[in-house]
Amino acid sequence: MRLDATVAHLDRLIGFPTVSSDSNLDLVEYVEAALAAEGIKARRIADRSGRKASLLATIGPPDRTGIVLSAHTDVVPADEAGWTSPPFSASLRGGRIHGRGSCDMKGFIACVLAHIGVFKRMASATPIHLAFSYDEEIGCRGAPDLVAAVAQMEVLPAFCIVGEPTSLKPVSAHKGKVARRIIVKGLTGHSAMPHRAANAVTAAARIVSLIDDIARDCASGAAALSAFDPPYTTVHVGSLHGGSALNLVPDRAVIEFEIRSTPGTDVGALLTQIDAGVAAQRDRLRRTAPEADIAVEDMTSYPGLATQEGDPALSIVAGLAAAEDKPATVSFGTEAGLYSAAGIPTIVCGPGNMARAHKADEWIGLDELAAANRMMERLAQRLDRPLAEWLDRPIKTLRNASRQ
Ligand SMILES: [Zn+2]
């Protein structure tokens, strides 16, 4: 029966085309209404345009330590070929619900919404905080304000579950990411007179070469963490554009690069090395063209996740998810690193598989939703006890309790 409610919510959620570039307010209103039906107030944290908002709501006593359930409301565009049903309309076929966001990650949100009532009834001692963001898919842009609001709540939550699709396996670590754009502005001129111009493309090429050297250093570095594939920090140049004609000295070039860092990597030190290379090229260009410049822009960044092995949150979430395996690592990034950086131990654990996300005919299985519902159920059943009591309880007891 709760699966019916989950499917009904997912049907509505997929129907809101919350592509990151567009507004998510219709979906936000829908979630607000679902919460209001149980007498729960939610707080909007809007972006500057007012077209998007995160939502933060507490179910249960706000003056007790609780648990954050985190999700993003946005989805990637559905422009890829191969959709066999309209992407923004849920389609149930063969035990699978197809639709953009079904797996990443409206399925999880639907499971959460289907349990608002039981959370409300049970949460006498431990509150649940719902934290739904926007703009995750374009670099976790909405989450920082939301995470700051969570971190400023009356009592800091004990831990956070980010419900990204992990086949309901607890994930304790992922790499962090910084992406930047470097815009080189030189001085154009006839190619026969290069000494009177400042070549932006060659300056950019030298910077790219430096970035590649840093990438090699990282790959051969000692601090390899075998849990990741590859087991080191990667530094990657994704694009280099510049120049328009052979007989002109190019006055503009644009580089885009990213760093995907293993936990513990001093990303700041890598960026300082790149900045020094940029400064050297700026000086070089200015020898012939004082107006030359190189600007560096942030594109996206989010911190990595590395929840400590012995953290009680890990065993609790493993118990809730009925997961037997050791916590895993994943190659994709999530908002988990932001919660972790705010001092809230965070585990990524949600229904579905990321391999199906960002693809035509994205789907989530009814069996996967049912399993996530059981996780929500186990969670609900414990909310009448303070978290401190859970932490002392071995996983086995937690699992048994959930079956009674
Ligand atoms: Zn996602």
Side-chain angles (χ1 to χ4, degrees):
M1 14 112 246
R2 208 148 267 148
L3 186 59
D4 291 345
T6 304
V7 170
H9 280 303
L10 184 53
D11 181 52
R12 292 294 308 275
L13 292 171
I14 290 173
F16 299 113
T18 52
V19 176
S20 311
S21 55
D22 300 327
S23 172
N24 73 337
L25 294 184
D26 288 346
L27 183 151
V28 165
E29 252 171 57
Y30 176 77
V31 175
E32 282 172 337
L35 289 163
E38 294 289 343
I40 297 150
K41 274 205 197 113
R43 175 180 157 201
R44 280 190 194 195
I45 299 158
D47 79 339
R48 254 188 280 165
S49 74
R51 292 171 58 244
K52 300 175 196 176
S54 294
L55 210 56
L56 179 59
T58 296
I59 307 172
D63 58 343
R64 309 286 282 272
T65 184
I67 299 154
V68 181
L69 299 180
S70 148
H72 61 82
T73 61
D74 60 317
V75 295
V76 293
D79 304 329
E80 64 273 332
W83 281 93
T84 53
S85 55
F88 294 107
S89 174
S91 164
L92 176 60
R93 307 195 293 273
R96 298 172 172 182
I97 295 179
H98 295 264
R100 172 55 81 228
S102 54
C103 173
D104 182 16
M105 55 182 298
K106 290 177 172 176
F108 177 77
I109 298 177
C111 292
V112 173
L113 296 186
H115 289 79
I116 294 172
V118 64
F119 287 155
K120 169 100 189 285
R121 282 194 297 285
M122 293 301 295
S124 55
T126 295
I128 291 285
H129 308 287
L130 307 188
F132 297 160
S133 70
Y134 60 88
D135 280 0
E136 189 272 350
E137 295 287 7
I138 49 174
C140 299
R141 290 193 198 165
D145 287 350
L146 176 61
V147 173
V150 170
Q152 285 158 19
M153 288 191 306
E154 206 171 324
V155 182
L156 192 70
F159 65 90
C160 169
I161 300 172
V162 175
E164 292 273 8
T166 64
S167 302
L168 225 56
K169 290 188 172 36
V171 163
S172 60
H174 64 65
K175 290 183 180 179
K177 179 176 161 184
V178 174
R180 287 188 169 177
R181 183 179 294 123
I182 300 174
I183 301 159
V184 185
K185 191 172 154 283
L187 177 66
T188 191
H190 195 285
S191 60
M193 304 284 170
H195 60 295
R196 289 186 196 154
N199 192 319
V201 165
T202 53
R206 285 170 190 257
I207 295 169
V208 167
S209 171
L210 167 74
I211 294 173
D212 197 49
D213 287 345
I214 294 170
R216 277 162 209 260
D217 289 349
C218 287
S220 61
L225 288 170
S226 58
F228 291 99
D229 180 23
Y232 47 80
T233 293
T234 55
V235 187
H236 156 81
V237 177
S239 66
L240 167 59
H241 295 283
S244 58
L246 182 57
N247 63 353
L248 283 178
V249 175
D251 63 351
R252 187 180 154 88
V254 180
I255 302 161
E256 289 181 351
F257 75 96
E258 65 170 32
I259 300 174
R260 290 180 184 258
S261 56
T262 52
T265 300
D266 188 349
V267 178
L270 300 179
L271 292 171
T272 301
Q273 266 181 277
I274 294 168
D275 286 344
V278 165
Q281 292 310 311
R282 188 186 289 118
D283 291 346
R284 205 175 132 262
L285 291 171
R286 284 180 176 170
R287 269 179 235 148
T288 48
E291 66 270 53
D293 201 5
I294 305 180
V296 181
E297 292 176 357
D298 280 324
M299 296 172 69
T300 61
S301 73
Y302 54 77
L305 175 70
T307 299
Q308 297 287 315
E309 212 171 298
D311 196 293
L314 270 169
S315 54
I316 291 177
V317 175
L320 294 174
E324 308 286 346
D325 308 335
K326 281 181 65 171
T329 64
V330 288
S331 53
F332 56 86
T334 73
E335 295 173 343
L338 293 162
Y339 284 98
S340 180
I344 303 167
T346 300
I347 318 293
V348 187
C349 184
N353 189 315
M354 197 55 107
R356 295 176 221 141
H358 304 201
K359 284 189 184 142
D361 278 352
E362 175 180 347
W363 59 272
I364 192 158
L366 293 177
D367 54 338
E368 294 172 321
L369 294 173
N373 278 350
R374 287 195 289 277
M375 173 172 161
M376 295 299 152
E377 207 67 50
R378 291 184 194 104
L379 177 60
Q381 295 310 318
R382 292 188 179 87
L383 299 178
D384 59 349
R385 296 196 300 273
L387 253 170
E389 284 182 22
W390 306 18
L391 299 176
D392 296 329
R393 212 170 281 251
I395 309 171
K396 211 165 173 7
T397 319
L398 283 173
R399 280 201 198 126
N400 288 343
S402 72
R403 294 206 182 99
Q404 281 162 9

